[in-house]
């Protein structure tokens, strides 16, 4: 069960998909050995897990993204006790970034060509909670930096 409230929130603001990594369109891989095909599928899942682990290792306990989070990624977030919110409007994320002192990231790439997540990109808030208001559920971010 994903947490519905996080105290002392460290918020990661992302503008990319947290979904199982797939080859880009136009990329063809010819596989002659079925065991290698399974290895490729496993590596696709591992790439996504590594991305999430880098974000969590930086101290994030709330992840907000403009794109989707698939079931596999949700599983990793739940196991780590991290709140994940998908399909947040980009304008809202920009405002949240200003209010919390965080940085909206389009990807995890750094200047060395590797993927990394610097804790300085995290926004901070006293509490992030999901509350029922009327018919819908809203995310409240309280006590911003």
């Amino acid at each position: 069960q994903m947490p519905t409230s996080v105290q002392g929130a460290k918020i990661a603001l992302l503008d990319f998909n947290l979904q199982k990594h797939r080859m880009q369109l136009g990329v063809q891989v010819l596989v002659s050995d079925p065991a290698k095909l399974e290895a490729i599928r496993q590596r696709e899942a591992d790439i996504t897990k590594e991305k999430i682990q880098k974000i969590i290792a930086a101290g994030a306990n709330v992840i907000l993204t403009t794109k989707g989070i698939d079931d596999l990624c949700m599983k990793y977030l739940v196991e780590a006790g991290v709140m994940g919110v998908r399909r947040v409007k980009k304008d809202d994320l920009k405002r949240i970034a200003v209010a919390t002192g965080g940085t909206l990231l389009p990807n995890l790439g750094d200047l060395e060509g590797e993927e990394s997540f610097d804790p300085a990109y995290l926004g901070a808030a006293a509490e992030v909670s999901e509350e029922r208001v009327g018919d819908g559920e809203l995310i409240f971010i309280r006590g911003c930096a």
Side-chain angles (χ1 to χ4, degrees):
Q1 185 71 23
M2 186 167 287
T4 56
S5 180
V6 175
Q7 304 293 326
K10 297 288 182 196
I11 307 166
L13 306 161
L14 311 177
D15 189 18
F16 56 87
N17 265 328
L18 283 178
Q19 294 179 332
K20 191 170 152 191
H21 183 78
R22 290 214 167 79
M23 295 290 178
Q24 294 168 343
L25 288 173
V27 174
Q28 283 187 323
V29 179
L30 298 173
V31 181
S32 54
D33 182 5
K36 289 182 181 170
L37 181 63
E38 190 52 45
I40 290 171
R41 287 195 177 125
Q42 184 59 46
R43 183 66 192 129
E44 285 177 343
D46 289 347
I47 288 170
T48 306
K49 187 170 187 178
E50 287 166 15
K51 275 185 180 179
I52 291 171
Q53 285 173 335
K54 284 174 185 164
I55 296 166
I56 293 170
N61 53 15
V62 176
I63 296 177
L64 306 178
T65 180
T66 57
K67 304 279 191 329
I69 302 176
D70 69 4
D71 292 341
L72 181 72
C73 296
M74 279 292 188
K75 179 178 154 259
Y76 297 143
L77 296 180
V78 168
E79 286 172 0
V82 174
M83 178 190 258
V85 182
R86 62 183 165 204
R87 295 189 188 91
V88 180
K89 287 191 183 110
K90 194 168 186 174
D91 289 342
D92 291 345
L93 269 192
K94 286 178 182 174
R95 288 186 188 111
I96 292 167
V98 170
T100 62
T103 305
L104 178 58
L105 293 179
N107 57 46
L108 290 183
D110 60 21
L111 294 174
E112 284 79 44
E114 300 293 318
E115 286 194 335
S116 64
F117 190 90
D118 187 338
Y121 297 141
L122 293 172
E127 179 189 20
V128 175
S129 61
E130 180 182 341
E131 297 174 21
R132 190 161 196 79
V133 177
D135 291 337
E137 291 181 349
L138 301 177
I139 303 292
F140 286 90
I141 300 173
R142 296 186 174 94
C144 295

